[in-house]
């Protein structure tokens, strides 16, 4: 007889249980409780406020939101009801003895969530996976009948990369273009596969621990691609059941071949800005970088990149918690996605505008589809990567982007530092982040800026538009850039009365001179990425040095801007996309956030919880 019907023939056993812990009956004790309940065959219910839920169902249990001071009836019916009641009552008493949760720590630290040992994981892509570890390995086979000579193999790889570039509908396409460019350079140095291997080894040696270290995987990927064309086959014997992949690093082309049973990916020597990391994010595999030693193959772990952690040797209750967090996360994402076109406002009713950071037509369209209310940052340096665009091509591209939204902020070229364009010659500098960059190009490359501004003005026509200058450090730089823009408009008889001029706040000197900028600018946009690197004298692309992206000094800087600016201020750096920081930013006065297109719905949802 199935348990439900058999339970009807048994007397019920009931106890009244009181929630005494100041933390309430929250996720962890509820998970322990429901896991224990499942060990009994009896029907076990929690009844309170006219509602009755199955105690074996964690989500149902949590839906009661039992707080300190609440009580409920625990009702057990079935063969082992008496034992169940006794055992669950004792367990519940125990669970109510836990220490109060620290209110000043974020609610989702791994140690609060999981009972097992947690190691730090730097999230690459947010998600949760529970499965045995599997260490990536591949074997190589050679099929003589498929042999192709080196030059033909390289030609095919080049054509394949071009094909992938042409047929990838998002910003990842640039990865293939970049690899193609690397291949062209290597072919200039090598006439055989062996020579190419030697050239790669030399380049990799130079790149190691430099700020371009993230490129190393691309070089190895090219060798792999060519080898595959020369008759070699890389065979990977993936486990048949769900697994969490562990590796020092993966190559971009290996991401495409990960099977659906990949529950997560842990990399030990990768970097956040590598192409591998970018593709993992696009493919949405829960993934993270873990720099400490991992258990042996076959050991089950929980990869919870939402909590920035890997749980080693998880107990059953930890797994239950992980599964329920996963369910909750999926439900949260679906709910946020449904509401993506709705305006976001805080619980107190403050409306917050959520805009997108985009870099081309595709990402602008993606932003529209994802519910962005406008573009808060158009990074124009990524629009034309290979050759200098003609005035017509530029105008046309801006027109396409401008047609999508009413509220658009275009940033003039921010080349220099880690951003290079092959058609813009910059001097060799030992500290490029402190050299010719951003607004400084107005003086060094006026022709390029003139064409850019002329194209933007033409594309804008009479529509309202905001133009901002990057890397401004003194009022004179702003005055010069704006005067230059006016002069371009004058030369080509363009009316720019509809255009506002503003600036990025990303160089610390601005924090101390806002009173001087106020009469000059129409708006500000805080670039927390550069602001952080210049505040802490730590390159944003540095392979080993890390700054806490939520350091108090950064919030103090943001606070200064909101206190002293008398023009509208938005935030477009990564801090605006940090759901843990949003409450604080809004409290400081932020009402406009600009974030990556994929994050729009999640950020709107985070605002609704502030
Ligand atoms: C910033 O510096 O925060 C910013 C948004 O600009 P970018 O990342 O393009 O330098
Ligand atoms: Mg910047």
């Amino acid at each position: 007889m199935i348990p439900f019907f058999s339970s009807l023939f048994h007397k019920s056993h009931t106890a009244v249980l009181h929630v005494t812990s100041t933390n309430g009956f929250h996720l962890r004790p509820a998970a322990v409780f429901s896991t224990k309940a499942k060990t009994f065959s009896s029907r076990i219910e929690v009844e309170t406020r006219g509602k009755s839920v199955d105690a074996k169902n964690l989500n149902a249990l949590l839906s009661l939101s039992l707080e300190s001071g609440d009580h409920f009836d625990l009702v057990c019916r079935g063969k082992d009801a008496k034992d169940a009641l006794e055992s669950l009552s004792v367990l519940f008493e125990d669970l109510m003895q836990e220490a109060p949760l620290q209110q000043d720590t974020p609610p989702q630290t791994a140690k609060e969530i999981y009972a097992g040992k947690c190691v730090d994981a730097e999230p690459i892509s947010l998600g949760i996976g529970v499965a045995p570890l599997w260490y990536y390995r591949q074997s190589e086979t050679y099929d003589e009948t498929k042999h192709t000579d080196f030059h033909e193999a390289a030609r095919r790889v080049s054509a394949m990369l071009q094909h992938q570039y042409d047929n990838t509908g998002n910003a990842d396409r640039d990865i293939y273009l970049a690899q193609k460019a690397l291949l062209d350079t290597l072919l200039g140095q090598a006439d055989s596969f062996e020579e190419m291997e030697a050239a790669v080894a030399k380049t990799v040696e130079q790149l190691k621990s430099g700020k371009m270290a993230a490129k190393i995987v691309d070089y190895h990927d090219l060798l792999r691609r060519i080898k595959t064309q020369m008759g070699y086959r890389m065979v990977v014997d993936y486990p048949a059941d769900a697994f969490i992949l562990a590796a020092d690093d993966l190559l971009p082309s290996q991401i495409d071949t990960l099977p659906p049973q990949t529950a997560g990916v842990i990399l030990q020597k990768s970097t956040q800005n590598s192409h591998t990391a970018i593709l993992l994010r696009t493919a949405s595999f829960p993934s993270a970088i873990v720099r400490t030693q991992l258990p042996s193959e076959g050991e089950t772990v929980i990869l919870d990149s939402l909590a920035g952690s890997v749980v080693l040797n998880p107990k059953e209750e930890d797994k239950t918690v992980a599964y329920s967090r996963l369910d909750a996360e999926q439900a949260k994402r679906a709910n946020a996605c449904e509401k993506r076109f709705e305006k976001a406002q805080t619980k107190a009713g403050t409306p917050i505008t959520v805009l997108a950071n985009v870099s081309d037509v595709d990402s602008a369209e993606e932003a529209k589809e994802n519910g962005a209310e406008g573009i808060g940052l158009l990074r124009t340096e990524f629009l034309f990567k290979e050759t200098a665009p003609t005035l017509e091509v530029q105008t046309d591209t801006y027109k396409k982007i401008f047609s999508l939204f009413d509220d658009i902020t275009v940033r003039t070229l921010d080349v220099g530092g880690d951003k290079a364009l092959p058609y813009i010659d910059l001097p060799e500098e030992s500290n490029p982040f402190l050299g010719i960059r951003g607004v400084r190009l107005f003086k060094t490359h006026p022709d390029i800026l003139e064409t850019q501004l002329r194209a933007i003005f033409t594309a804008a026509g009479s529509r309202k538009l905001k133009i901002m200058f990057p890397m401004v450090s003194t009022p004179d730089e702003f005055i010069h850039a704006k005067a230059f823009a006016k002069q371009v408009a004058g030369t080509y008889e363009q009316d720019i009365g509809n255009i506002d001029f503003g600036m990025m706040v990303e160089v610390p000197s601005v924090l101390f001179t806002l009173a001087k900028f106020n009469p000059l600018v129409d708006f500000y946009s805080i670039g927390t990425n550069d602001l952080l690197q210049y505040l802490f004298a730590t390159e944003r692309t540095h392979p080993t040095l890390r700054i806490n992206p939520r350091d108090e000094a950064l919030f103090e800087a943001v606070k200064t801007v909101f206190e002293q600016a008398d023009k509208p201020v938005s935030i477009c750096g990564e801090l605006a996309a940090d759901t843990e920081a949003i409450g604080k930013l809004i409290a400081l006065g932020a009402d406009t956030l600009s974030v990556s297109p994929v994050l729009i719905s999640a950020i709107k949802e985070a605002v609704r919880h502030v």
Side-chain angles (χ1 to χ4, degrees):
M1 205 180 305
I2 54 173
F4 173 73
F5 289 107
S6 73
S7 68
L8 295 178
F9 298 102
H10 288 93
K11 175 174 168 295
S12 67
H13 292 259
T14 305
V16 181
L17 300 182
H18 293 266
V19 182
T20 52
S21 162
T22 50
N23 307 327
F25 194 23
H26 68 96
L27 184 60
R28 202 164 87 201
V32 177
F33 191 83
S34 74
T35 306
K36 184 75 186 171
K38 282 184 204 151
T39 63
F40 297 99
S41 64
S42 294
R43 191 169 164 75
I44 304 174
E45 282 172 333
V46 168
E47 297 179 2
T48 184
R49 298 182 223 117
K51 253 179 116 178
S52 171
V53 303
D54 179 2
K56 297 177 186 175
N57 179 335
L58 178 59
N59 282 335
L61 211 50
L62 289 172
S63 73
L64 296 174
S65 307
L66 289 163
E67 303 282 349
S68 173
D70 290 344
H71 61 85
F72 60 87
D73 289 345
L74 183 66
V75 185
C76 308
R77 279 189 206 89
K79 240 182 18 206
D80 51 6
K82 196 162 171 280
D83 286 350
L85 189 78
E86 258 177 42
S87 154
L88 286 169
S89 301
V90 172
L91 174 67
F92 188 75
E93 282 303 309
D94 262 10
L95 292 170
M96 289 298 102
Q97 304 307 315
E98 69 172 359
L101 297 178
Q102 301 262 330
Q103 289 305 316
D104 54 351
T105 51
Q108 301 229 304
T109 60
K111 285 199 183 106
E112 282 177 353
I113 300 168
Y114 297 109
K117 182 169 186 247
C118 300
V119 295
D120 287 346
E122 281 174 47
I124 294 176
S125 171
L126 295 182
I128 299 170
V130 183
L133 271 181
W134 178 76
Y135 284 88
Y136 190 89
R137 56 188 167 270
Q138 61 182 25
S139 54
E140 199 176 274
T141 59
Y142 178 60
D143 180 351
E144 209 173 335
T145 60
K146 299 233 166 75
H147 179 81
T148 312
D149 82 0
F150 169 68
H151 289 103
E152 173 57 15
R155 194 199 58 73
R156 285 189 197 167
V157 170
S158 178
M160 273 167 50
L161 290 169
Q162 183 65 46
H163 179 81
Q164 278 181 288
Y165 173 70
D166 293 337
N167 291 285
T168 303
N170 58 32
D172 292 352
R173 64 209 297 258
D174 297 332
I175 294 172
Y176 306 114
L177 193 65
Q179 285 202 350
K180 189 168 172 283
L182 292 183
L183 177 62
D184 290 344
T185 321
L186 284 171
L187 288 175
Q189 304 162 25
D191 217 23
S192 65
F193 185 75
E194 290 68 29
E195 281 180 27
M196 186 146 164
E197 262 185 326
V200 166
K202 203 168 140 208
T203 315
V204 164
E205 211 41 55
Q206 288 159 0
L207 290 173
K208 264 186 198 162
S209 75
K211 57 177 171 286
M212 295 297 183
K215 271 206 168 77
I216 291 175
V217 285
D218 292 306
Y219 280 100
H220 287 143
D221 209 15
L222 283 173
L223 289 179
R224 180 183 197 262
R225 287 178 193 272
I226 291 184
K227 241 178 149 176
T228 311
Q229 291 304 318
M230 289 174 74
Y232 291 87
R233 213 160 72 83
M234 312 299 156
V235 185
V236 186
D237 221 354
Y238 291 108
D241 295 324
F243 64 93
I244 293 199
L245 187 157
D248 278 354
D249 206 345
L250 288 176
L251 302 178
S253 62
Q254 289 168 331
I255 308 293
D256 295 343
T257 57
L258 293 180
Q261 64 270 29
T262 314
V265 175
I266 300 177
L267 300 178
Q268 302 215 258
K269 294 193 178 150
S270 193
T271 52
Q272 292 292 349
N273 55 354
S274 70
H275 286 155
T276 302
I278 293 170
L279 291 175
L280 280 171
R281 278 193 276 273
T282 305
S284 295
F285 284 111
S287 44
I289 301 169
V290 174
R291 301 197 190 271
T292 43
Q293 207 188 341
L294 292 168
S296 347
E297 182 158 307
E299 302 263 344
T300 294
V301 296
I302 297 171
L303 164 62
D304 185 339
S305 61
L306 293 163
S309 199
V310 170
V311 187
L312 312 179
N313 306 318
K315 302 197 175 66
E316 274 315 303
E317 67 205 59
D318 276 340
K319 289 189 204 166
T320 311
V321 168
Y323 290 130
S324 103
R325 276 170 62 74
L326 187 57
D327 285 350
E329 183 56 25
Q330 279 163 352
K332 211 167 96 188
R333 282 186 197 178
N335 175 44
C337 183
E338 253 171 48
K339 292 196 285 181
R340 68 194 188 279
F341 295 116
E342 290 171 28
K343 179 91 194 153
Q345 58 177 45
T346 64
K347 285 187 197 152
T350 311
I352 305 294
T353 303
V354 183
L355 307 171
N357 294 343
V358 306
S359 51
D360 50 24
V361 181
D362 287 340
S363 55
E365 282 168 351
E366 190 186 352
K368 182 93 186 168
E369 168 55 27
N370 290 355
E373 295 169 76
I375 293 174
L377 168 62
L378 170 56
R379 287 184 164 106
T380 58
E381 57 278 6
F382 295 123
L383 276 177
F384 310 104
K385 293 211 193 72
E386 278 190 291
T387 48
T390 61
L391 176 71
E392 291 67 33
V393 168
Q394 282 201 62
T395 310
D396 207 42
T397 307
Y398 290 126
K399 269 190 189 156
K400 280 191 193 130
I401 296 176
F402 294 173
S403 69
L404 294 170
F405 297 97
D406 291 332
D407 183 1
I408 293 190
T409 303
V410 188
R411 183 172 71 183
T412 53
L413 279 175
D414 185 16
V415 174
D418 61 331
K419 301 181 207 166
L421 284 179
Y423 53 92
I424 298 188
D425 260 346
L426 291 175
E428 280 283 325
E429 296 173 306
S430 41
N431 289 309
F433 279 106
L434 304 179
I436 308 298
R437 209 202 138 174
V439 75
R440 296 167 189 175
L441 267 80
F442 274 82
K443 294 211 170 128
T444 56
H445 297 73
D447 295 353
I448 287 184
L449 266 306
E450 177 175 323
T451 313
Q452 181 180 38
L453 286 163
R454 192 177 162 198
I456 294 173
F457 296 156
T458 311
S462 58
R463 54 165 294 141
K464 280 203 89 48
L465 187 76
K466 292 181 216 151
I467 293 182
M468 72 177 164
F469 306 126
M471 296 297 301
V472 174
S473 61
T474 65
D476 280 348
E477 277 173 341
F478 183 86
I479 292 168
H480 175 262
K482 186 170 170 186
F484 182 92
K486 278 188 159 173
Q487 193 191 320
V488 172
T491 309
Y492 299 101
E493 296 177 1
Q494 292 170 303
D495 179 4
I496 56 166
N498 50 318
I499 294 182
D500 281 348
F501 287 92
M503 60 181 267
M504 300 277 298
V505 179
E506 51 186 352
V507 182
S509 61
V510 176
L511 302 172
F512 308 99
T513 41
L514 281 156
K516 294 202 173 114
F517 283 105
N518 279 334
L520 303 174
V521 308
D522 295 319
F523 65 93
Y524 297 99
S525 185
I526 308 179
T528 54
N529 310 338
D530 275 309
L531 193 52
L532 194 69
Q533 80 160 342
Y534 293 120
L535 279 172
F536 287 87
T538 304
E539 265 176 31
R540 57 197 273 181
T541 50
H542 198 283
T544 54
L545 299 175
R546 300 262 179 286
I547 318 160
N548 172 7
R550 293 183 207 140
D551 193 286
E552 206 37 51
L554 185 61
F555 286 104
E556 280 300 315
V558 172
K559 184 169 165 224
T560 303
V561 183
F562 281 107
E563 279 173 357
Q564 296 185 22
D566 67 2
K567 297 290 166 61
V569 180
S570 61
I571 306 178
C572 65
E574 286 302 307
L575 194 66
D578 180 347
T579 49
E580 299 288 327
I582 283 176
K584 224 167 163 178
L585 295 176
I586 293 175
L588 293 176
D591 62 5
T592 306
L593 305 171
S594 192
V595 303
S596 151
V598 288
L599 297 175
I600 301 281
S601 60
I603 297 303
K604 282 189 168 181
E605 197 52 24
V607 166
R608 295 182 186 117
H609 287 86
V610 171

